Amino acid sequence: MIPFFSDAFLTAFVVAALASAIPVMLAAIGETVGEQSGVLNLGIEGLLLIGGYFGFVATIVTGSFWLGFLIGALASIILSSILMALSVLLGLNQIVVGIGITLAGTGVSSVLYDFSYGSSKPRLGLDAPWTIPFLSDIPVIGPSLFAQPGMFYVSMLLALVTSIWLYRTTSGLRLRSAGQKPSSLDAAGGNVAVTRSLAVLFGGAMSGLGGAYLALISAGTFTPGMTHGMGFLAIVIAMLARGRLLWVLLISLIYGLFVAMGTVLQLTSLNIPNDVVTIMPFIAVMIVLTFFARRSALPAALAIPYVRGAR
Amino acid sequence: MSTSNESLTESSGTKHPQLPGEPGPETLLIETTRKPEKSRLSLALQVLIRTITPVALAIVVAGIIIWTMGIDPLKFYGDVIALGLGGTGWQKTLTMMAPLLIISLGLIISFRAQLWNLGYNGTYLLAAAVVAGTAPDVMQSLPFGVGILVLFVLAFAIGAGLGYLPGLLKAKYGTNEIITSLMISFIAISAANILVKGPFQDHAVTVPQTRVLDLDLMLPYIPGTRIHIGFIIAVVVVVLFHYILTKSSFGLKIDILGASPKAATHAGIDAKKMIIIVFLLSSGMIALAGAIDMLGLWGYMRTNWNPMYGDKILPFVFLARLNPIGSIPLVGFYAVLATGGTIAAQQVGLSVDFLLIIVALILFFMTIIEFMGNRKDLGKSYLPAGLFTRAKK
């Protein structure tokens, strides 16, 4: 029997919860920015996988985790530029293109992994944690929150910066107006196409980072289809949070706790199948959607292409 | 006058029968100013070009991709055709078409109403799991025909049940059906796995899977072939629904709902009821495909098996312009690609997920050709009016 509620156990629990929460949070931040600008990006799942794969390859080749994150983000930016070109600039159906991105990302990452690493199946080592002096000495919270890999702190910073950008700056206001009433942004001298394009690329970068975090930190390796619907969960989190990034953070943490609790339950003698764990977040989301958030306040112009001069 | 009249009857005749009575002169005038006159032949040609170009471009680009990976694309595609059509390949292809046709019909029903039912993967899998799990008992205790019917009804009911919640939420509260149906899909996928690992597991084998259905108790083959009669059932259902969707008042109601729920309400259609009905029917169909596939082809189900049929058939549904009969040749094309492509990919050591890349490329090229086609007015659009035209209102 594992000693529950010992310091070591609780630390491992919090670390596991954060390892599941951060990739979803990063992707949901990217989706939030996209949705606020009026673009529904259904390609998050594919962007996570592409970011994860190329981040994994870069880290294997160079040995640097930071380069892995950079390459992962770049790869997802390149894939999301398809969504930018087709859905934002040409105004084509965002749902169809988004599903295409998901399929392309899943297919490309799986084919390339099989081609290059299918037989060797390498694993990565651990990223050296940044230990924050003094704070990391606190029991439980210290080793779990203040002795994390560097990307953990960068992710938290990104959430904060994005929140300030969206709600405290002029460019954030312009971005949100592109999602509420693009014609008013146009009339005020803003460029809807550029605003939305940048939002889509930002979403791609965040999903790429999320995927790379999943592969490099949470799992320590890449496996084809390793996201198991996490990208779609990120889309839902973005919708439930209604654009507020504190909510994105909180819901992602709740998701992480769910996953960590599932792992704990598997360690006990209860013998709960893995699928019961994976089904939980989706059921929770459905319950919330059914009873509490039936009219989720989405941006008015979400998924509607903007055609200049059209009424 | 005669040419304009022709173009009018053609544009409306493709969808619904002309209402009795000659159209007034104003209607004709509007029609002639709106649409440039074209002969029937050139229209058909343009529609054909618009359908084939995205597929051809996707095949070429995918060929370049595998060429960079050191695989000869010409030989690969040659193998795909040889394995998908030659020998007994054509029989495997037709067998594979059975579930694909029904799933594409399910998608067509919901897309015609402009409802994005994206719960297809889970709906198919849960119905397949329940049918595979219960079939050995049901088929042994009931006469063959009754047993099959019971399982078909069971599958349809499961699908309708899964489609009910997204439909209800959309109808009652306007909750985004893309999200709810996707969540239902993931729930159903996990539920299918739980069932196969739990109550339906065959403990005689080590791999978690359901009991294997006796070959005598599965759908019979068409005499002289190895194609089960599920293929014929699928074609009949698709043709039947083609006429229901394009010629009946029910089909017209779905189209009006798709064009504008407000207009539907004004026309006296209970839009909320129709949304729920469309979801029940669409998900029910997709679930039926699961039953046909299990009873006709597989006979058992393993855990973590997910063929993702719905995702792969998606571009072809749009290329068929949401026309059920039009989807038959396109689904046939994909079935050849999938049957031949799976074996050909395994032979050269390529991941089977290569098919996903081709499908994604078709989706991208399809939207691009759609865009260029709208610019140059090349035939009819893939999607019913709605998301494409909303901004132009």
Side-chain angles (χ1 to χ4, degrees):
Chain A
M1 194 69 191
I2 307 126
F4 290 106
F5 306 113
S6 70
D7 277 7
F9 172 79
L10 285 174
T11 305
F13 183 77
V14 176
V15 168
L18 289 174
S20 317
I22 299 296
V24 166
M25 185 194 78
L26 288 170
I29 291 173
E31 179 70 16
T32 299
V33 171
E35 278 180 14
Q36 290 301 310
S37 79
V39 184
L40 178 66
N41 185 352
L42 283 186
I44 300 284
E45 184 88 357
L47 294 170
L48 278 172
L49 284 167
I50 281 291
Y53 175 72
F54 282 98
F56 170 74
V57 172
T59 305
I60 284 227
V61 173
T62 64
S64 158
F65 279 81
W66 290 111
L67 261 175
F69 284 113
L70 184 71
I71 300 292
L74 280 178
S76 292
I77 287 177
I78 290 169
L79 184 59
S80 59
S81 67
I82 296 178
L83 180 73
M84 179 194 85
L86 296 185
S87 289
V88 177
L89 302 181
L90 300 185
L92 301 173
N93 190 307
Q94 294 176 4
I95 301 166
V96 172
V97 177
I99 295 173
I101 301 268
T102 286
L103 296 180
T106 313
V108 169
S109 59
S110 169
V111 166
L112 287 180
Y113 180 83
D114 242 40
F115 183 70
S116 315
Y117 303 102
S119 45
S120 58
K121 295 195 169 48
R123 289 192 64 87
L124 297 165
L126 285 176
D127 192 8
W130 286 5
T131 316
I132 310 225
F134 305 118
L135 286 176
S136 59
D137 296 334
I138 308 168
V140 182
I141 303 173
S144 57
L145 277 183
F146 299 108
Q148 286 271 5
M151 192 58 203
F152 171 79
Y153 306 107
V154 175
S155 306
M156 288 300 172
L157 195 67
L158 277 171
L160 183 71
V161 170
T162 313
S163 184
I164 293 171
W165 170 43
L166 273 184
Y167 291 97
R168 295 277 182 275
T169 67
T170 319
S171 91
L173 182 68
R174 284 177 170 236
L175 184 127
R176 285 183 294 132
S177 70
Q180 295 294 348
K181 201 161 171 45
S183 54
S184 65
L185 174 63
D186 205 358
N191 190 328
V192 179
V194 169
T195 310
R196 286 185 168 182
S197 298
L198 290 177
V200 167
L201 295 184
F202 180 82
M206 292 304 272
S207 305
L209 287 179
Y213 199 99
L214 183 70
L216 303 183
I217 310 283
S218 308
T221 185
F222 179 86
T223 39
M226 70 190 299
T227 45
H228 295 296
M230 194 185 271
F232 294 106
L233 213 57
I235 297 171
V236 179
I237 290 175
M239 283 191 170
L240 291 178
R242 302 176 192 190
R244 280 158 301 189
L245 291 171
L246 183 64
W247 281 80
V248 170
L249 176 70
L250 287 178
I251 302 174
S252 304
L253 286 176
I254 294 171
Y255 165 79
L257 288 175
F258 255 112
V259 177
M261 266 195 294
T263 320
V264 170
L265 285 176
Q266 278 186 312
L267 293 176
T268 62
S269 51
L270 287 170
N271 191 21
I272 291 171
N274 192 27
D275 302 286
V276 176
V277 178
T278 48
I279 203 172
M280 282 307 187
F282 296 106
I283 289 184
V285 163
M286 266 324 279
I287 291 172
V288 171
L289 280 173
T290 310
F291 296 105
F292 305 109
R294 293 185 286 224
R295 291 177 202 275
S296 50
L298 294 171
L302 186 64
I304 299 172
Y306 178 65
V307 181
R308 201 171 190 186
R311 277 183 297 131
Chain B
M1 189 66 188
S2 65
T3 44
S4 60
N5 206 348
E6 202 178 277
S7 81
L8 176 72
T9 45
E10 189 184 83
S11 63
S12 53
T14 48
K15 270 204 152 178
H16 290 286
Q18 188 71 38
L19 290 168
E22 279 294 302
E26 296 95 341
T27 337
L28 283 178
L29 191 69
I30 292 166
E31 202 65 33
T32 41
T33 47
R34 199 193 298 159
K35 278 197 174 165
E37 288 165 31
K38 270 177 191 159
S39 75
R40 202 173 276 253
L41 186 73
S42 75
L43 261 176
L45 193 69
Q46 280 164 346
V47 167
L48 207 62
I49 291 171
R50 254 176 116 163
T51 311
I52 291 171
T53 322
V55 179
L57 283 171
I59 296 283
V60 170
V61 174
I64 296 171
I65 293 173
I66 52 171
W67 180 64
T68 60
M69 294 170 74
I71 296 162
D72 179 6
L74 289 177
K75 190 183 170 299
F76 179 78
Y77 285 130
D79 285 352
V80 170
I81 295 168
L83 292 162
L85 287 175
T88 56
W90 65 276
Q91 301 194 359
K92 284 183 194 151
T93 299
L94 290 185
T95 307
M96 189 179 195
M97 277 176 76
L100 293 180
L101 280 173
I102 307 251
I103 293 174
S104 73
L105 176 63
L107 295 178
I108 285 170
I109 292 171
S110 78
F111 291 167
R112 279 181 92 103
Q114 277 289 306
L115 293 169
W116 293 90
N117 180 7
L118 301 186
Y120 36 76
N121 285 335
T123 309
Y124 168 90
L125 271 182
L126 186 60
V130 172
V131 167
T134 54
D137 290 332
V138 172
M139 294 307 289
Q140 258 157 19
S141 52
L142 290 174
F144 184 79
V146 181
I148 294 283
L149 201 65
V150 164
L151 289 170
F152 278 3
V153 170
L154 177 69
F156 194 93
I158 291 167
L162 290 174
Y164 179 69
L165 194 56
L168 179 77
L169 289 174
K170 171 79 178 177
K172 248 182 141 177
Y173 308 106
T175 314
N176 191 320
E177 79 278 15
I178 299 172
I179 290 310
T180 48
S181 60
L182 268 172
M183 292 301 107
I184 290 286
S185 181
F186 286 110
I187 292 172
I189 290 172
S190 294
N193 281 329
I194 291 171
L195 286 176
V196 174
K197 279 181 204 162
F200 294 153
Q201 188 177 348
D202 181 3
H203 293 285
V205 285
T206 47
V207 191
Q209 65 173 54
T210 64
R211 280 172 295 158
V212 181
L213 185 61
D214 258 5
L215 203 59
D216 307 338
L217 296 175
M218 288 171 69
L219 292 176
Y221 291 127
I222 298 168
T225 65
R226 302 274 285 168
I227 309 162
H228 62 80
I229 57 159
F231 173 69
I232 295 176
I233 299 175
V235 172
V236 169
V237 170
V238 166
V239 172
L240 182 73
F241 267 87
H242 178 84
Y243 287 102
I244 291 176
L245 289 175
T246 58
K247 304 284 184 221
S248 77
S249 68
F250 177 72
L252 183 61
K253 279 181 189 172
I254 291 183
D255 284 351
I256 296 174
L257 182 70
S260 156
K262 264 187 193 162
T265 311
H266 277 293
I269 298 165
D270 188 344
K272 291 182 177 179
K273 205 172 105 193
M274 277 305 286
I275 289 174
I276 296 177
I277 291 175
V278 164
F279 257 95
L280 295 184
L281 204 56
S282 161
S283 296
M285 281 295 162
I286 295 165
L288 191 63
I292 288 181
D293 215 15
M294 282 300 131
L295 294 172
L297 178 62
W298 300 102
Y300 73 99
M301 193 173 131
R302 274 193 187 165
T303 56
N304 299 330
W305 178 74
N306 182 3
M308 292 170 72
Y309 285 146
D311 284 317
K312 290 168 182 168
I313 216 70
L314 199 65
F316 302 100
V317 168
F318 292 123
L319 288 175
R321 289 170 185 75
L322 306 183
N323 178 313
I325 287 185
S327 74
I328 296 177
L330 288 159
V331 167
F333 168 80
Y334 174 74
V336 173
L337 189 69
T339 352
T342 306
I343 311 170
Q346 279 163 355
Q347 281 175 357
V348 293
L350 192 67
S351 166
V352 182
D353 286 337
F354 178 65
L355 288 172
L356 288 180
I357 301 180
I358 296 186
V359 169
L361 285 169
I362 296 176
L363 276 173
F364 294 147
F365 285 121
M366 180 187 94
T367 47
I368 294 171
I369 300 284
E370 171 79 24
F371 174 77
M372 285 159 57
N374 282 351
R375 278 285 166 93
K376 295 199 190 300
D377 194 26
L378 282 175
K380 232 172 103 190
S381 164
Y382 297 117
L383 291 162
L387 281 164
F388 272 114
T389 48
R390 211 190 285 173
K392 292 178 200 151
K393 248 185 248 170

